[in-house]
Amino acid sequence: MKSEYSQLKEYMDQSNKTVAVTGAGISYLYGVSKLKQSVGRLNAGRIFSASYVRKNPEEFYKVMKNAFLDATFAKGPRRVHEQLAELEKQGKLYGIVTQNLDCLHTIAGSQNVVEFQGSFRDNICTDCGSRYYDYQVWNEGHMPRCGKCGAPLMPAAFCRDFRSTADTSSDNMRKAADMISEADLVLIIGTTGFRSSEYLSRMKAGTKLVQINPSETQFDRMADLNIRADAAEVLDAVMNG
């Protein structure tokens, strides 16, 4: 086993609470498109509104399908998602903080997941504002609709028309920060640090930070250990070493 992997294994063996922070890197690798690329020429501020979705439900569904749904439901979780779920099951991972909206951690079996940007398992009716906490509404091959009024649904994370969505966003970030504050080991996997200052500021003194990322990021200088490799390869070595 490489010395870096051995060091990570030692950190994990000594840790009482290990938290993984994941980002877009582990999604892009497995087929989830960058949202801006999927939106294309459309104005994101325009289509991510309840009024637009009500008038153009099929266009919105097409954007979501290209950006997330095909990768989430057709391809499903990949090795790194499954490894993190297994580590949690074994009691070696306390939880996951993620910026990703694709629900792949949850589908893989992870239980303690904080999606600080929201996700496809938190949806809102574009007319009456009813909430639907179930990502499976997007797995039926067509635009999901409200069971009360029949209007199309959209992920609450994309909708700023209702005050409650902003409140939920703040709650999610507080949960992420609370989880980080309890950790004595933080694994940074596939993220360059989007909104990281909002939760890493709560990291207590003495907490180890390990970054697993093939590329350089803003975490390079603050990390106790930088591993330039694919996360699935690293975790496989640590789990089986």
Side-chain angles (χ1 to χ4, degrees):
M1 186 186 294
K2 294 181 180 180
S3 60
E4 298 171 321
Y5 299 1
S6 297
Q7 182 65 72
L8 174 56
K9 187 176 188 305
E10 182 178 329
Y11 284 161
M12 293 184 71
D13 288 343
Q14 294 173 348
S15 172
N16 292 315
K17 280 192 176 179
T18 298
V19 172
V21 177
T22 69
I26 68 168
S27 293
Y28 296 163
L29 290 174
Y30 302 125
V32 176
S33 303
K34 292 183 178 180
L35 188 58
K36 289 182 181 179
Q37 292 177 352
S38 297
V39 171
R41 296 178 182 177
L42 295 175
N43 183 290
R46 178 168 59 92
I47 75 165
F48 294 148
S49 69
S51 60
Y52 181 88
V53 175
R54 283 198 304 271
K55 295 176 183 177
N56 305 277
E58 297 312 315
E59 181 62 34
F60 182 80
Y61 181 75
K62 181 179 178 181
V63 171
M64 295 299 98
K65 188 174 186 297
N66 290 339
F68 298 102
L69 305 181
D70 284 345
T72 296
F73 297 115
K75 296 182 180 179
R78 310 302 277 190
R79 180 63 180 149
V80 67
H81 300 99
E82 294 167 349
Q83 289 168 321
L84 292 172
E86 180 60 27
L87 284 169
E88 183 185 18
K89 185 178 179 180
Q90 294 175 2
K92 297 179 181 179
L93 184 70
Y94 176 62
I96 297 171
V97 168
T98 186
Q99 72 184 63
N100 299 336
L101 298 95
D102 51 40
C103 295
L104 288 172
H105 287 301
T106 299
I107 295 171
S110 293
Q111 300 294 313
N112 194 14
V113 182
V114 176
E115 298 151 327
F116 64 77
Q117 290 199 100
S119 76
F120 278 81
R121 61 175 171 173
D122 180 7
N123 303 285
I124 192 165
C125 174
T126 56
D127 192 8
C128 71
S130 296
R131 297 296 275 267
Y132 293 82
Y133 297 95
D134 182 6
Y135 62 83
Q136 289 291 355
V137 299
W138 293 97
N139 192 24
E140 298 178 356
H142 55 78
M143 186 69 180
R145 291 187 173 272
C146 178
K148 297 179 180 178
C149 71
L153 305 180
M154 69 184 297
F158 295 158
C159 183
R160 296 294 177 263
D161 300 76
F162 297 92
R163 183 180 299 275
S164 60
T165 61
D167 296 338
T168 300
S169 177
S170 298
D171 287 344
N172 289 341
M173 185 55 78
R174 277 195 294 271
K175 291 176 183 177
D178 287 345
M179 186 182 289
I180 292 294
S181 73
E182 298 180 37
D184 47 32
L185 173 62
V186 176
L187 307 180
I188 304 290
I189 304 174
T191 178
T192 57
F194 177 70
R195 296 183 67 182
S196 60
S197 61
E198 296 179 57
Y199 53 83
L200 287 185
S201 61
R202 294 280 304 281
M203 194 168 66
K204 62 189 179 184
T207 297
K208 298 289 186 183
L209 190 147
V210 175
Q211 177 179 221
I212 305 172
N213 200 322
S215 305
E216 295 182 359
T217 75
Q218 68 179 36
F219 296 111
D220 287 12
R221 293 185 178 182
M222 65 183 296
D224 295 279
L225 177 64
N226 283 299
I227 303 179
R228 301 281 186 231
D230 177 76
E233 172 192 320
V234 175
L235 294 178
D236 188 57
V238 170
M239 294 170 73
N240 298 307

